[in-house]
PDB file of all heavy atoms in Angstrom:
ATOM      1  N   PRO A 189     -59.655  12.140 -19.780  1.00 87.00           N
ATOM      2  CA  PRO A 189     -59.166  13.008 -18.704  1.00 87.00           C
ATOM      3  C   PRO A 189     -58.978  12.233 -17.390  1.00 87.00           C
ATOM      4  O   PRO A 189     -58.016  12.464 -16.644  1.00 87.00           O
ATOM      5  CB  PRO A 189     -60.294  14.075 -18.564  1.00 87.00           C
ATOM      6  CG  PRO A 189     -60.962  14.088 -19.886  1.00 87.00           C
ATOM      7  CD  PRO A 189     -60.924  12.670 -20.397  1.00 87.00           C
ATOM      8  N   LEU A 190     -59.892  11.278 -17.150  1.00 89.00           N
ATOM      9  CA  LEU A 190     -59.791  10.463 -15.946  1.00 89.00           C
ATOM     10  C   LEU A 190     -58.591   9.542 -16.036  1.00 89.00           C
ATOM     11  O   LEU A 190     -57.844   9.346 -15.049  1.00 89.00           O
ATOM     12  CB  LEU A 190     -61.087   9.649 -15.756  1.00 89.00           C
ATOM     13  CG  LEU A 190     -61.106   8.678 -14.579  1.00 89.00           C
ATOM     14  CD1 LEU A 190     -61.004   9.425 -13.267  1.00 89.00           C
ATOM     15  CD2 LEU A 190     -62.351   7.793 -14.603  1.00 89.00           C
ATOM     16  N   HIS A 191     -58.348   8.964 -17.214  1.00 84.00           N
ATOM     17  CA  HIS A 191     -57.204   8.063 -17.376  1.00 84.00           C
ATOM     18  C   HIS A 191     -55.896   8.817 -17.146  1.00 84.00           C
ATOM     19  O   HIS A 191     -54.986   8.292 -16.464  1.00 84.00           O
ATOM     20  CB  HIS A 191     -57.217   7.481 -18.800  1.00 84.00           C
ATOM     21  CG  HIS A 191     -58.452   6.746 -19.116  1.00 84.00           C
ATOM     22  ND1 HIS A 191     -58.794   6.404 -20.415  1.00 84.00           N
ATOM     23  CD2 HIS A 191     -59.446   6.278 -18.370  1.00 84.00           C
ATOM     24  CE1 HIS A 191     -59.953   5.782 -20.413  1.00 84.00           C
ATOM     25  NE2 HIS A 191     -60.381   5.684 -19.173  1.00 84.00           N
ATOM     26  N   ILE A 192     -55.794  10.019 -17.663  1.00 83.00           N
ATOM     27  CA  ILE A 192     -54.561  10.789 -17.468  1.00 83.00           C
ATOM     28  C   ILE A 192     -54.405  11.157 -16.001  1.00 83.00           C
ATOM     29  O   ILE A 192     -53.306  11.091 -15.442  1.00 83.00           O
ATOM     30  CB  ILE A 192     -54.636  12.087 -18.344  1.00 83.00           C
ATOM     31  CG1 ILE A 192     -54.592  11.711 -19.819  1.00 83.00           C
ATOM     32  CG2 ILE A 192     -53.491  13.037 -17.990  1.00 83.00           C
ATOM     33  CD1 ILE A 192     -54.866  12.838 -20.742  1.00 83.00           C
ATOM     34  N   HIS A 193     -55.513  11.523 -15.357  1.00 85.00           N
ATOM     35  CA  HIS A 193     -55.474  11.820 -13.914  1.00 85.00           C
ATOM     36  C   HIS A 193     -54.959  10.633 -13.121  1.00 85.00           C
ATOM     37  O   HIS A 193     -54.100  10.743 -12.233  1.00 85.00           O
ATOM     38  CB  HIS A 193     -56.852  12.240 -13.410  1.00 85.00           C
ATOM     39  CG  HIS A 193     -56.994  12.182 -11.924  1.00 85.00           C
ATOM     40  ND1 HIS A 193     -56.468  13.165 -11.111  1.00 85.00           N
ATOM     41  CD2 HIS A 193     -57.566  11.267 -11.123  1.00 85.00           C
ATOM     42  CE1 HIS A 193     -56.732  12.867  -9.846  1.00 85.00           C
ATOM     43  NE2 HIS A 193     -57.390  11.694  -9.809  1.00 85.00           N
ATOM     44  N   ASP A 194     -55.493   9.419 -13.439  1.00 86.00           N
ATOM     45  CA  ASP A 194     -55.078   8.216 -12.734  1.00 86.00           C
ATOM     46  C   ASP A 194     -53.631   7.916 -12.977  1.00 86.00           C
ATOM     47  O   ASP A 194     -52.883   7.473 -12.063  1.00 86.00           O
ATOM     48  CB  ASP A 194     -55.920   7.029 -13.155  1.00 86.00           C
ATOM     49  CG  ASP A 194     -57.271   7.016 -12.492  1.00 86.00           C
ATOM     50  OD1 ASP A 194     -57.523   7.849 -11.609  1.00 86.00           O
ATOM     51  OD2 ASP A 194     -58.106   6.132 -12.825  1.00 86.00           O
ATOM     52  N   MET A 195     -53.149   8.147 -14.209  1.00 82.00           N
ATOM     53  CA  MET A 195     -51.726   7.951 -14.521  1.00 82.00           C
ATOM     54  C   MET A 195     -50.868   8.843 -13.638  1.00 82.00           C
ATOM     55  O   MET A 195     -49.899   8.377 -12.987  1.00 82.00           O
ATOM     56  CB  MET A 195     -51.484   8.212 -15.975  1.00 82.00           C
ATOM     57  CG  MET A 195     -50.042   8.111 -16.418  1.00 82.00           C
ATOM     58  SD  MET A 195     -49.847   8.275 -18.199  1.00 82.00           S
ATOM     59  CE  MET A 195     -50.340  10.015 -18.421  1.00 82.00           C
ATOM     60  N   PHE A 196     -51.184  10.127 -13.591  1.00 81.00           N
ATOM     61  CA  PHE A 196     -50.392  11.033 -12.739  1.00 81.00           C
ATOM     62  C   PHE A 196     -50.518  10.667 -11.260  1.00 81.00           C
ATOM     63  O   PHE A 196     -49.519  10.715 -10.540  1.00 81.00           O
ATOM     64  CB  PHE A 196     -50.885  12.457 -12.952  1.00 81.00           C
ATOM     65  CG  PHE A 196     -50.356  13.145 -14.168  1.00 81.00           C
ATOM     66  CD1 PHE A 196     -51.180  13.423 -15.264  1.00 81.00           C
ATOM     67  CD2 PHE A 196     -49.037  13.516 -14.234  1.00 81.00           C
ATOM     68  CE1 PHE A 196     -50.685  14.058 -16.376  1.00 81.00           C
ATOM     69  CE2 PHE A 196     -48.531  14.172 -15.393  1.00 81.00           C
ATOM     70  CZ  PHE A 196     -49.370  14.414 -16.453  1.00 81.00           C
ATOM     71  N   ARG A 197     -51.699  10.267 -10.837  1.00 82.00           N
ATOM     72  CA  ARG A 197     -51.940   9.962  -9.430  1.00 82.00           C
ATOM     73  C   ARG A 197     -51.098   8.752  -9.023  1.00 82.00           C
ATOM     74  O   ARG A 197     -50.429   8.731  -7.981  1.00 82.00           O
ATOM     75  CB  ARG A 197     -53.402   9.707  -9.167  1.00 82.00           C
ATOM     76  CG  ARG A 197     -53.734   9.316  -7.716  1.00 82.00           C
ATOM     77  CD  ARG A 197     -55.245   9.342  -7.512  1.00 82.00           C
ATOM     78  NE  ARG A 197     -55.920   8.369  -8.332  1.00 82.00           N
ATOM     79  CZ  ARG A 197     -56.148   7.106  -7.962  1.00 82.00           C
ATOM     80  NH1 ARG A 197     -55.687   6.666  -6.807  1.00 82.00           N
ATOM     81  NH2 ARG A 197     -56.785   6.276  -8.767  1.00 82.00           N
ATOM     82  N   TYR A 198     -51.156   7.694  -9.811  1.00 81.00           N
ATOM     83  CA  TYR A 198     -50.414   6.478  -9.507  1.00 81.00           C
ATOM     84  C   TYR A 198     -48.906   6.751  -9.512  1.00 81.00           C
ATOM     85  O   TYR A 198     -48.182   6.270  -8.649  1.00 81.00           O
ATOM     86  CB  TYR A 198     -50.732   5.381 -10.520  1.00 81.00           C
ATOM     87  CG  TYR A 198     -52.036   4.636 -10.255  1.00 81.00           C
ATOM     88  CD1 TYR A 198     -52.860   4.275 -11.296  1.00 81.00           C
ATOM     89  CD2 TYR A 198     -52.408   4.307  -8.954  1.00 81.00           C
ATOM     90  CE1 TYR A 198     -54.071   3.628 -11.095  1.00 81.00           C
ATOM     91  CE2 TYR A 198     -53.624   3.654  -8.708  1.00 81.00           C
ATOM     92  CZ  TYR A 198     -54.439   3.304  -9.778  1.00 81.00           C
ATOM     93  OH  TYR A 198     -55.625   2.637  -9.544  1.00 81.00           O
ATOM     94  N   VAL A 199     -48.457   7.515 -10.480  1.00 79.00           N
ATOM     95  CA  VAL A 199     -47.022   7.823 -10.560  1.00 79.00           C
ATOM     96  C   VAL A 199     -46.580   8.580  -9.339  1.00 79.00           C
ATOM     97  O   VAL A 199     -45.541   8.287  -8.707  1.00 79.00           O
ATOM     98  CB  VAL A 199     -46.700   8.632 -11.815  1.00 79.00           C
ATOM     99  CG1 VAL A 199     -45.305   9.218 -11.764  1.00 79.00           C
ATOM    100  CG2 VAL A 199     -46.825   7.730 -13.053  1.00 79.00           C
ATOM    101  N   GLN A 200     -47.363   9.597  -8.920  1.00 77.00           N
ATOM    102  CA  GLN A 200     -46.992  10.403  -7.791  1.00 77.00           C
ATOM    103  C   GLN A 200     -47.054   9.580  -6.484  1.00 77.00           C
ATOM    104  O   GLN A 200     -46.128   9.602  -5.685  1.00 77.00           O
ATOM    105  CB  GLN A 200     -47.907  11.616  -7.688  1.00 77.00           C
ATOM    106  CG  GLN A 200     -47.485  12.617  -6.595  1.00 77.00           C
ATOM    107  CD  GLN A 200     -48.406  13.826  -6.583  1.00 77.00           C
ATOM    108  OE1 GLN A 200     -49.553  13.782  -7.004  1.00 77.00           O
ATOM    109  NE2 GLN A 200     -47.899  14.956  -6.100  1.00 77.00           N
ATOM    110  N   GLU A 201     -48.189   8.880  -6.269  1.00 78.00           N
ATOM    111  CA  GLU A 201     -48.342   8.126  -5.040  1.00 78.00           C
ATOM    112  C   GLU A 201     -47.353   6.980  -4.942  1.00 78.00           C
ATOM    113  O   GLU A 201     -46.709   6.758  -3.932  1.00 78.00           O
ATOM    114  CB  GLU A 201     -49.771   7.627  -4.929  1.00 78.00           C
ATOM    115  CG  GLU A 201     -50.811   8.727  -4.752  1.00 78.00           C
ATOM    116  CD  GLU A 201     -52.213   8.186  -4.723  1.00 78.00           C
ATOM    117  OE1 GLU A 201     -52.384   6.946  -4.925  1.00 78.00           O
ATOM    118  OE2 GLU A 201     -53.151   8.971  -4.492  1.00 78.00           O
ATOM    119  N   ASP A 202     -47.242   6.198  -6.032  1.00 76.00           N
ATOM    120  CA  ASP A 202     -46.365   5.031  -6.009  1.00 76.00           C
ATOM    121  C   ASP A 202     -44.912   5.458  -5.957  1.00 76.00           C
ATOM    122  O   ASP A 202     -44.109   4.825  -5.262  1.00 76.00           O
ATOM    123  CB  ASP A 202     -46.571   4.199  -7.272  1.00 76.00           C
ATOM    124  CG  ASP A 202     -47.861   3.363  -7.178  1.00 76.00           C
ATOM    125  OD1 ASP A 202     -48.623   3.571  -6.219  1.00 76.00           O
ATOM    126  OD2 ASP A 202     -48.112   2.566  -8.102  1.00 76.00           O
ATOM    127  N   GLY A 203     -44.562   6.528  -6.681  1.00 75.00           N
ATOM    128  CA  GLY A 203     -43.186   6.985  -6.642  1.00 75.00           C
ATOM    129  C   GLY A 203     -42.726   7.366  -5.252  1.00 75.00           C
ATOM    130  O   GLY A 203     -41.630   6.984  -4.825  1.00 75.00           O
ATOM    131  N   SER A 204     -43.602   8.049  -4.524  1.00 77.00           N
ATOM    132  CA  SER A 204     -43.270   8.456  -3.161  1.00 77.00           C
ATOM    133  C   SER A 204     -43.233   7.272  -2.189  1.00 77.00           C
ATOM    134  O   SER A 204     -42.285   7.067  -1.421  1.00 77.00           O
ATOM    135  CB  SER A 204     -44.280   9.485  -2.686  1.00 77.00           C
ATOM    136  OG  SER A 204     -44.027   9.834  -1.338  1.00 77.00           O
ATOM    137  N   LEU A 205     -44.273   6.408  -2.269  1.00 75.00           N
ATOM    138  CA  LEU A 205     -44.392   5.286  -1.353  1.00 75.00           C
ATOM    139  C   LEU A 205     -43.262   4.267  -1.613  1.00 75.00           C
ATOM    140  O   LEU A 205     -42.582   3.793  -0.669  1.00 75.00           O
ATOM    141  CB  LEU A 205     -45.743   4.627  -1.470  1.00 75.00           C
ATOM    142  CG  LEU A 205     -45.965   3.340  -0.661  1.00 75.00           C
ATOM    143  CD1 LEU A 205     -45.846   3.639   0.836  1.00 75.00           C
ATOM    144  CD2 LEU A 205     -47.300   2.732  -0.992  1.00 75.00           C
ATOM    145  N   LEU A 206     -43.086   3.932  -2.888  1.00 73.00           N
ATOM    146  CA  LEU A 206     -42.104   2.907  -3.231  1.00 73.00           C
ATOM    147  C   LEU A 206     -40.667   3.389  -2.937  1.00 73.00           C
ATOM    148  O   LEU A 206     -39.776   2.546  -2.611  1.00 73.00           O
ATOM    149  CB  LEU A 206     -42.246   2.513  -4.687  1.00 73.00           C
ATOM    150  CG  LEU A 206     -43.569   1.830  -5.014  1.00 73.00           C
ATOM    151  CD1 LEU A 206     -43.666   1.577  -6.515  1.00 73.00           C
ATOM    152  CD2 LEU A 206     -43.732   0.522  -4.261  1.00 73.00           C
ATOM    153  N   PHE A 207     -40.426   4.716  -3.026  1.00 78.00           N
ATOM    154  CA  PHE A 207     -39.094   5.195  -2.698  1.00 78.00           C
ATOM    155  C   PHE A 207     -38.831   4.958  -1.201  1.00 78.00           C
ATOM    156  O   PHE A 207     -37.751   4.482  -0.835  1.00 78.00           O
ATOM    157  CB  PHE A 207     -38.987   6.698  -2.978  1.00 78.00           C
ATOM    158  CG  PHE A 207     -37.769   7.352  -2.369  1.00 78.00           C
ATOM    159  CD1 PHE A 207     -36.488   7.012  -2.789  1.00 78.00           C
ATOM    160  CD2 PHE A 207     -37.929   8.260  -1.339  1.00 78.00           C
ATOM    161  CE1 PHE A 207     -35.388   7.588  -2.207  1.00 78.00           C
ATOM    162  CE2 PHE A 207     -36.822   8.842  -0.771  1.00 78.00           C
ATOM    163  CZ  PHE A 207     -35.543   8.512  -1.180  1.00 78.00           C
ATOM    164  N   ARG A 208     -39.806   5.233  -0.373  1.00 80.00           N
ATOM    165  CA  ARG A 208     -39.614   5.026   1.070  1.00 80.00           C
ATOM    166  C   ARG A 208     -39.398   3.561   1.388  1.00 80.00           C
ATOM    167  O   ARG A 208     -38.526   3.187   2.202  1.00 80.00           O
ATOM    168  CB  ARG A 208     -40.814   5.579   1.853  1.00 80.00           C
ATOM    169  CG  ARG A 208     -40.942   7.086   1.793  1.00 80.00           C
ATOM    170  CD  ARG A 208     -41.904   7.611   2.855  1.00 80.00           C
ATOM    171  NE  ARG A 208     -43.273   7.168   2.583  1.00 80.00           N
ATOM    172  CZ  ARG A 208     -44.137   7.853   1.839  1.00 80.00           C
ATOM    173  NH1 ARG A 208     -43.770   9.002   1.295  1.00 80.00           N
ATOM    174  NH2 ARG A 208     -45.378   7.408   1.678  1.00 80.00           N
ATOM    175  N   ILE A 209     -40.192   2.694   0.746  1.00 79.00           N
ATOM    176  CA  ILE A 209     -40.050   1.277   1.013  1.00 79.00           C
ATOM    177  C   ILE A 209     -38.715   0.755   0.484  1.00 79.00           C
ATOM    178  O   ILE A 209     -38.007  -0.001   1.172  1.00 79.00           O
ATOM    179  CB  ILE A 209     -41.214   0.485   0.364  1.00 79.00           C
ATOM    180  CG1 ILE A 209     -42.548   0.897   0.982  1.00 79.00           C
ATOM    181  CG2 ILE A 209     -41.004  -1.011   0.497  1.00 79.00           C
ATOM    182  CD1 ILE A 209     -43.763   0.276   0.314  1.00 79.00           C
ATOM    183  N   SER A 210     -38.359   1.141  -0.725  1.00 75.00           N
ATOM    184  CA  SER A 210     -37.113   0.663  -1.320  1.00 75.00           C
ATOM    185  C   SER A 210     -35.904   1.181  -0.534  1.00 75.00           C
ATOM    186  O   SER A 210     -34.897   0.459  -0.356  1.00 75.00           O
ATOM    187  CB  SER A 210     -37.016   1.081  -2.799  1.00 75.00           C
ATOM    188  OG  SER A 210     -36.981   2.488  -2.911  1.00 75.00           O
ATOM    189  N   PHE A 211     -36.005   2.430  -0.053  1.00 78.00           N
ATOM    190  CA  PHE A 211     -34.895   2.972   0.720  1.00 78.00           C
ATOM    191  C   PHE A 211     -34.747   2.199   2.031  1.00 78.00           C
ATOM    192  O   PHE A 211     -33.666   1.950   2.499  1.00 78.00           O
ATOM    193  CB  PHE A 211     -35.085   4.449   0.994  1.00 78.00           C
ATOM    194  CG  PHE A 211     -33.845   5.129   1.515  1.00 78.00           C
ATOM    195  CD1 PHE A 211     -32.854   5.528   0.665  1.00 78.00           C
ATOM    196  CD2 PHE A 211     -33.668   5.346   2.887  1.00 78.00           C
ATOM    197  CE1 PHE A 211     -31.686   6.140   1.126  1.00 78.00           C
ATOM    198  CE2 PHE A 211     -32.534   5.950   3.376  1.00 78.00           C
ATOM    199  CZ  PHE A 211     -31.542   6.332   2.489  1.00 78.00           C
ATOM    200  N   GLY A 212     -35.893   1.831   2.621  1.00 80.00           N
ATOM    201  CA  GLY A 212     -35.845   1.059   3.832  1.00 80.00           C
ATOM    202  C   GLY A 212     -35.206  -0.312   3.588  1.00 80.00           C
ATOM    203  O   GLY A 212     -34.395  -0.806   4.386  1.00 80.00           O
ATOM    204  N   LEU A 213     -35.589  -0.959   2.472  1.00 78.00           N
ATOM    205  CA  LEU A 213     -35.011  -2.248   2.121  1.00 78.00           C
ATOM    206  C   LEU A 213     -33.524  -2.108   1.816  1.00 78.00           C
ATOM    207  O   LEU A 213     -32.707  -2.925   2.232  1.00 78.00           O
ATOM    208  CB  LEU A 213     -35.750  -2.828   0.910  1.00 78.00           C
ATOM    209  CG  LEU A 213     -35.266  -4.168   0.413  1.00 78.00           C
ATOM    210  CD1 LEU A 213     -35.418  -5.237   1.509  1.00 78.00           C
ATOM    211  CD2 LEU A 213     -36.081  -4.582  -0.835  1.00 78.00           C
ATOM    212  N   LEU A 214     -33.181  -1.023   1.128  1.00 78.00           N
ATOM    213  CA  LEU A 214     -31.765  -0.794   0.814  1.00 78.00           C
ATOM    214  C   LEU A 214     -30.946  -0.566   2.073  1.00 78.00           C
ATOM    215  O   LEU A 214     -29.807  -1.044   2.196  1.00 78.00           O
ATOM    216  CB  LEU A 214     -31.686   0.399  -0.126  1.00 78.00           C
ATOM    217  CG  LEU A 214     -30.341   0.682  -0.809  1.00 78.00           C
ATOM    218  CD1 LEU A 214     -30.592   1.250  -2.187  1.00 78.00           C
ATOM    219  CD2 LEU A 214     -29.526   1.659   0.020  1.00 78.00           C
ATOM    220  N   THR A 215     -31.546   0.153   3.039  1.00 81.00           N
ATOM    221  CA  THR A 215     -30.887   0.391   4.320  1.00 81.00           C
ATOM    222  C   THR A 215     -30.604  -0.936   5.022  1.00 81.00           C
ATOM    223  O   THR A 215     -29.532  -1.144   5.622  1.00 81.00           O
ATOM    224  CB  THR A 215     -31.737   1.281   5.194  1.00 81.00           C
ATOM    225  OG1 THR A 215     -31.897   2.566   4.555  1.00 81.00           O
ATOM    226  CG2 THR A 215     -31.105   1.508   6.566  1.00 81.00           C
ATOM    227  N   LEU A 216     -31.595  -1.832   4.965  1.00 82.00           N
ATOM    228  CA  LEU A 216     -31.407  -3.156   5.594  1.00 82.00           C
ATOM    229  C   LEU A 216     -30.255  -3.914   4.933  1.00 82.00           C
ATOM    230  O   LEU A 216     -29.446  -4.558   5.633  1.00 82.00           O
ATOM    231  CB  LEU A 216     -32.714  -3.944   5.462  1.00 82.00           C
ATOM    232  CG  LEU A 216     -32.693  -5.376   6.047  1.00 82.00           C
ATOM    233  CD1 LEU A 216     -32.397  -5.343   7.535  1.00 82.00           C
ATOM    234  CD2 LEU A 216     -34.015  -6.082   5.758  1.00 82.00           C
ATOM    235  N   VAL A 217     -30.171  -3.831   3.610  1.00 80.00           N
ATOM    236  CA  VAL A 217     -29.089  -4.520   2.903  1.00 80.00           C
ATOM    237  C   VAL A 217     -27.743  -3.935   3.298  1.00 80.00           C
ATOM    238  O   VAL A 217     -26.751  -4.671   3.524  1.00 80.00           O
ATOM    239  CB  VAL A 217     -29.318  -4.418   1.369  1.00 80.00           C
ATOM    240  CG1 VAL A 217     -28.092  -4.952   0.612  1.00 80.00           C
ATOM    241  CG2 VAL A 217     -30.541  -5.188   0.962  1.00 80.00           C
ATOM    242  N   LEU A 218     -27.668  -2.597   3.403  1.00 81.00           N
ATOM    243  CA  LEU A 218     -26.430  -1.959   3.818  1.00 81.00           C
ATOM    244  C   LEU A 218     -26.032  -2.354   5.234  1.00 81.00           C
ATOM    245  O   LEU A 218     -24.852  -2.552   5.540  1.00 81.00           O
ATOM    246  CB  LEU A 218     -26.559  -0.433   3.731  1.00 81.00           C
ATOM    247  CG  LEU A 218     -26.629   0.179   2.323  1.00 81.00           C
ATOM    248  CD1 LEU A 218     -26.859   1.693   2.440  1.00 81.00           C
ATOM    249  CD2 LEU A 218     -25.317  -0.079   1.584  1.00 81.00           C
TER     250      LEU A 218
END
Side-chain angles (χ1 to χ4, degrees):
L190 177 64
H191 302 165
I192 294 170
H193 164 77
D194 280 355
M195 176 175 66
F196 279 110
R197 178 170 62 90
Y198 281 140
V199 167
Q200 187 178 24
E201 293 177 356
D202 285 6
S204 176
L205 176 62
L206 294 176
F207 166 67
R208 293 194 294 270
I209 297 174
S210 63
F211 192 82
L213 180 60
L214 192 146
T215 298
L216 178 62
V217 172
L218 288 176

